[in-house]
Amino acid sequence: MNRIQKKLKENKKLLSIYFTAGYPNLEDTVPIIQELEKEGVDFIEIGLPFSDPLADGPTIQESSTRALRNGMTTSVLFEQLKDIRKKVDIPLILMGYFNPVLQYGVEAFCKKCQEIGIDGLILPDLPLAEYQREYRPIFENYGLINIFLITPQTSDQRIRQIDQASNGFVYMVSSASTTGAQSGFGSIQEKYFERIAKMQLIHPLVVGFGISDQATFEVATKYAQGAIIGSAFIKMLDKEGKDGIVPFIRSIKTASQK
Amino acid sequence: MNYNVDPSGYYGQYGGAFIPEMLYPNVEELRQNYLQITSEESFKNDFHQLLKDYVGRPTPLYFAKRFSEKYNTKVYLKREDLCHTGAHKVNNTIGQILLAKRLGKTRIIAETGAGQHGVATATVCALMGLECIVYMGEVDIKRQAPNVARMKMLGAKVVPAKSGSRTLKDATNEAIRDWINHPVDTHYIIGSVVGPHPYPDMVARFQSVISEEVKKQLLEKEQRENPDYVVACVGGGSNAAGIYYHYLNQPEVGIIAVEAAGKGIYTGESAATSVLGRTGIIHGSKTLLMQTPDGQITEPYSISAGLDYPGVGPMHANLYTSGRGEFISITDDEAMQAGLELSQLEGIIPAIESSHALAIFKERKFQEKEVIVINLSGRGDKDLNTYIDYFNL
């Protein structure tokens, strides 16, 4: 059982943070991970920046552009993370677009992830069919959990398919949108969360897109085991830098988890 | 070997649908319906009626006598420049808008680089009374003011793409993001044989009317359906897909693809994807792609705004890799000279994109009796400012 699977067995609401590697500064990747672990975040998505992030809204686009300008590349990230398992034990997921992985070489990429101690991958533009057509055995061979997305438009039948093909959690995108597009959840989202929760999937649900504060975190985790904050965390980093991490995480976690 | 798309959406090793789950229902709806809808009699009737009465098809296949004499071979021009709106682009937008209507869509989005596809989309939206939003790079909006005005006059909303390099690829990203945010009522009219399956095949089928006509016209003029070569410029590659389509699996017909070398292939300012690209993913398709060693997509350059796409349609990537197609790169200068030459030999001012295809005769020699059909994909009106600046007219 890898760290993600172990974490999902814990009987608590899980808070996850997404941030773009190499942002705001190239060398911030590891200190941010350490700080998040210290503050009791449950798992982390490290964003591998891409020039053309078509599922992302302006906040993550901008952080990716700046990270690339700072000199972030796949090799630089692997170099930064090479001793990460001497420093933290928190589950780590790499999230990015498929092209940089393809250029590194899918097998070489997965091998490197295993060496470093990365637990899983989220590659939104590597959908189920393409994954199963060519890449599944490679991911599995290196013990990587691959996480698929579902959206309000995903049919029940496809959700079951995705659930079957998963080995960690199912990433429930909160609305039909790019990242960082909305503020707050309405009754439409709650109904959708409830509908999916009632499906009793094999794998736990983790909600992403649109979680920005304690209120949205609470709503999401009423129906799902965890929730992921991305754009709101990056906006905070942009404004306050690393000093803002502690108050930000505490503002989400008050009442809910302590 | 079959050079059409296979049932899983691939051309050899290229193609597929590398799309985020948010787009899956939209693309899947198209994939499940496009073949059935477009093969219905009523669809075919509407499509061909509009191509005839509205676009002005069939476009002539013109024997370019003086041009042929100069290069001592037989050159025919397929006159797509005579289509309504000035280029082949409208063949595809007519097809897609009819499809969108049958799928019950009420809102149309599109990307555009030079503005030709944007104009062709705005045109058919006006024709059908559908809302039209065109994404265009902020940089291109400044460069292509007349086409922006055309789209506005046709009732479209032109939205500047402000991300990345603010050109065609970023306009495409923005259109895709719009589609993610409007999954139910919106159809995305992609302008070339790019994007996730079924787009490359769907657009190629709508453009295939070009080679369908060539077959009939050539039979009349040369008593043969098949030329020795079909030639087209390739950016994303929709006009090329159209003129190759009915010849793809006929090995006796040579396929020549002409890419933009810009200021020279290795100058760093080029759009010669077959030479400079490696297999990668762009806009949901696995294809040849210009990128950094790390897999970041790079910005191509060509004097012609219609050819500066960092990828190429998966059909063409497969034609290149398999050796079925012969790929030639033409520089800005060579293309501009060829445009001037055609103007003065035949009285036809071509779009700079098409001028690239006309420029191959300087280096690529043909036999006297060989029949070469060039797709003259667009007219040069939109490029007049570039011609004026270049030749000090």
Side-chain angles (χ1 to χ4, degrees):
Chain A
M1 198 185 301
N2 89 5
R3 291 179 199 88
I4 298 171
Q5 290 161 330
K6 234 183 273 171
K7 178 56 81 173
L8 292 165
K9 294 254 181 268
E10 290 179 18
N11 186 24
K12 63 184 274 210
K13 294 175 177 181
L14 304 178
L15 170 63
S16 177
I17 296 290
Y18 167 94
F19 74 99
T20 306
Y23 174 87
N25 305 299
L26 184 62
E27 299 300 333
D28 284 342
T29 317
V30 172
I32 289 175
I33 293 170
Q34 289 177 300
E35 194 79 356
L36 291 174
E37 178 176 69
K38 218 168 69 192
E39 279 307 302
V41 165
D42 294 293
F43 57 99
I44 299 174
E45 281 98 45
I46 306 166
L48 189 59
F50 183 49
S51 56
D52 294 73
L54 44 78
D56 285 301
T59 304
I60 293 179
Q61 285 172 43
E62 177 59 26
S63 68
S64 302
T65 305
R66 276 178 54 187
L68 291 172
R69 223 180 285 145
N70 289 343
M72 183 49 74
T73 65
T74 309
S75 306
V76 168
L77 179 61
F78 283 148
E79 185 59 29
Q80 289 181 346
L81 294 180
K82 76 173 189 267
D83 294 325
I84 196 70
R85 284 301 170 206
K86 292 180 189 155
K87 295 168 187 159
V88 298
D89 195 41
I90 186 169
L92 295 173
I93 296 169
L94 287 190
M95 180 164 185
Y97 290 82
F98 188 49
N99 195 50
V101 178
L102 197 61
Q103 299 318 310
Y104 195 90
V106 177
E107 174 132 26
F109 188 92
C110 291
K111 187 161 179 270
K112 198 80 193 174
C113 284
Q114 187 186 44
E115 279 168 24
I116 288 171
I118 298 294
D119 305 288
L121 298 175
I122 307 177
L123 302 168
D125 62 344
L126 180 63
L128 189 60
E130 303 295 348
Y131 173 68
Q132 289 180 326
R133 179 188 159 97
E134 218 169 329
Y135 303 109
R136 182 180 192 140
I138 304 175
F139 281 45
E140 288 182 351
N141 196 23
Y142 292 98
L144 290 168
I145 283 182
N146 188 33
I147 292 143
F148 294 103
L149 277 51
I150 62 169
T151 82
Q153 268 70 42
T154 311
S155 70
D156 284 6
Q157 189 200 356
R158 185 164 167 86
I159 291 174
R160 297 268 179 224
Q161 255 181 339
I162 285 172
D163 189 27
Q164 288 286 348
S166 298
N167 49 3
F169 59 86
V170 172
Y171 189 132
M172 177 158 67
V173 176
S174 68
S175 68
S177 71
T178 42
T179 54
Q182 52 175 355
S183 53
F185 290 136
S187 60
I188 297 175
Q189 265 113 9
E190 277 211 50
K191 273 193 194 126
Y192 155 62
F193 294 163
E194 201 180 344
R195 173 170 70 86
I196 307 303
K198 277 192 181 148
M199 286 181 74
Q200 300 280 335
L201 302 182
I202 310 163
H203 297 92
L205 294 164
V206 175
V207 181
F209 292 41
I211 322 289
S212 58
D213 54 17
Q214 199 200 344
T216 41
F217 181 80
E218 287 294 322
V219 176
T221 51
K222 220 160 94 188
Y223 304 96
Q225 194 181 348
I228 302 167
I229 301 180
S231 296
F233 183 75
I234 286 167
K235 271 185 200 153
M236 181 284 297
L237 278 181
D238 184 40
K239 246 198 324 214
E240 296 167 43
K242 290 199 293 294
D243 292 344
I245 296 177
V246 173
F248 182 87
I249 300 301
R250 288 185 187 169
S251 77
I252 310 285
K253 290 186 58 154
T254 359
S256 71
Q257 281 186 305
K258 295 262 165 94
Chain B
M1 194 168 166
N2 181 4
Y3 296 93
N4 286 104
V5 75
D6 73 22
S8 57
Y10 275 78
Y11 297 86
Q13 56 174 307
Y14 302 109
F18 292 82
I19 47 166
E21 191 63 29
M22 292 77 98
L23 284 178
Y24 179 84
N26 315 28
V27 172
E28 183 63 10
E29 182 184 30
L30 269 184
R31 191 185 68 80
Q32 285 186 356
N33 290 295
Y34 83 109
L35 289 177
Q36 195 206 326
I37 292 178
T38 56
S39 61
E40 283 166 8
E41 278 309 307
S42 75
F43 182 96
K44 286 198 271 190
N45 288 340
D46 290 357
F47 183 55
H48 288 291
Q49 200 68 46
L50 282 171
L51 288 184
K52 177 165 176 278
D53 298 337
Y54 188 72
V55 175
R57 303 204 72 94
T59 58
L61 182 70
Y62 167 71
F63 176 61
K65 186 161 173 288
R66 296 207 330 128
F67 192 88
S68 297
E69 276 166 11
K70 168 139 195 201
Y71 292 105
N72 202 26
T73 187
K74 288 179 109 172
V75 177
Y76 283 87
L77 303 177
K78 181 59 175 164
R79 298 290 310 274
E80 292 301 295
D81 59 317
L82 295 176
C83 287
H84 177 44
T85 72
H88 71 289
K89 290 286 185 192
V90 73
N91 302 326
N92 168 48
T93 60
I94 294 263
Q96 285 203 46
I97 199 110
L98 290 172
L99 184 65
K101 284 207 95 159
R102 280 164 170 78
L103 291 171
K105 306 294 176 181
T106 54
R107 187 174 171 274
I108 299 294
I109 56 172
E111 85 295 337
T112 197
Q116 289 307 103
H117 172 59
V119 168
T121 304
T123 298
V124 297
C125 286
L127 179 69
M128 297 292 169
L130 292 183
E131 184 187 357
C132 180
I133 295 113
V134 179
Y135 289 90
M136 187 168 185
E138 208 172 34
V139 172
D140 290 331
I141 287 181
K142 289 200 186 111
R143 290 196 287 209
Q144 311 286 338
N147 272 343
V148 176
R150 265 184 205 117
M151 288 185 268
K152 287 182 178 165
M153 195 160 171
L154 291 160
K157 186 174 159 205
V158 180
V159 181
K162 296 180 177 178
S163 60
S165 52
R166 294 170 293 139
T167 58
L168 175 58
K169 85 176 166 69
D170 310 286
T172 309
N173 292 339
E174 288 304 329
I176 291 173
R177 288 178 187 127
D178 179 306
W179 211 19
I180 287 174
N181 285 285
H182 299 88
V184 181
D185 62 346
T186 298
H187 175 70
Y188 177 18
I189 300 190
I190 294 184
S192 192
V193 287
V194 301
H197 178 68
Y199 276 102
D201 183 49
M202 179 171 72
V203 176
R205 282 167 184 266
F206 289 141
Q207 293 294 0
S208 72
V209 65
I210 299 172
S211 46
E212 191 183 314
E213 288 173 6
V214 170
K215 284 199 143 191
K216 287 182 203 145
Q217 292 165 322
L218 208 58
L219 189 61
E220 241 171 60
K221 293 179 197 294
E222 293 283 335
Q223 292 73 53
R224 53 192 272 199
E225 281 192 339
N226 294 353
D228 294 295
Y229 295 93
V230 282
V231 183
C233 61
V234 174
S238 68
N239 93 81
I243 200 147
Y244 301 161
Y245 195 87
H246 291 281
Y247 299 118
L248 283 172
N249 296 321
Q250 308 210 10
E252 67 276 21
V253 180
I255 285 177
I256 298 180
V258 186
E259 292 184 308
K263 294 182 178 166
I265 292 181
Y266 300 106
T267 60
E269 292 185 86
S270 173
T273 308
S274 69
V275 184
L276 299 170
R278 297 190 314 279
T279 301
I281 310 281
I282 182 170
H283 301 138
S285 180
K286 189 189 265 188
T287 188
L288 291 171
L289 172 63
M290 290 170 59
Q291 54 187 316
T292 66
D294 188 45
Q296 310 299 336
I297 299 172
T298 53
E299 189 60 18
Y301 163 83
S302 164
I303 194 168
S304 147
L307 299 181
D308 61 358
Y309 186 68
V312 63
M315 173 199 282
H316 304 305
N318 186 44
L319 292 176
Y320 176 75
T321 307
S322 65
R324 172 71 180 94
E326 174 182 349
F327 279 62
I328 297 175
S329 307
I330 291 296
T331 63
D332 288 355
D333 291 336
E334 292 167 327
M336 295 303 275
Q337 292 301 336
L340 185 66
E341 183 174 84
L342 189 77
S343 303
Q344 299 185 351
L345 285 175
E346 299 290 348
I348 298 169
I349 300 176
I352 299 173
E353 289 81 0
S354 320
S355 297
H356 283 74
L358 297 161
I360 62 167
F361 296 89
K362 291 264 192 268
E363 49 184 87
R364 175 67 165 83
K365 300 296 172 211
F366 296 91
Q367 304 293 317
E368 191 178 344
K369 292 223 166 110
E370 284 180 326
V371 172
I372 294 114
V373 176
I374 299 179
N375 199 7
L376 197 72
S377 56
R379 57 177 174 248
D381 306 29
K382 70 178 176 66
D383 295 317
L384 218 50
N385 273 330
T386 313
Y387 281 128
I388 289 168
D389 290 347
Y390 189 88
F391 293 113
N392 284 317
L393 300 170

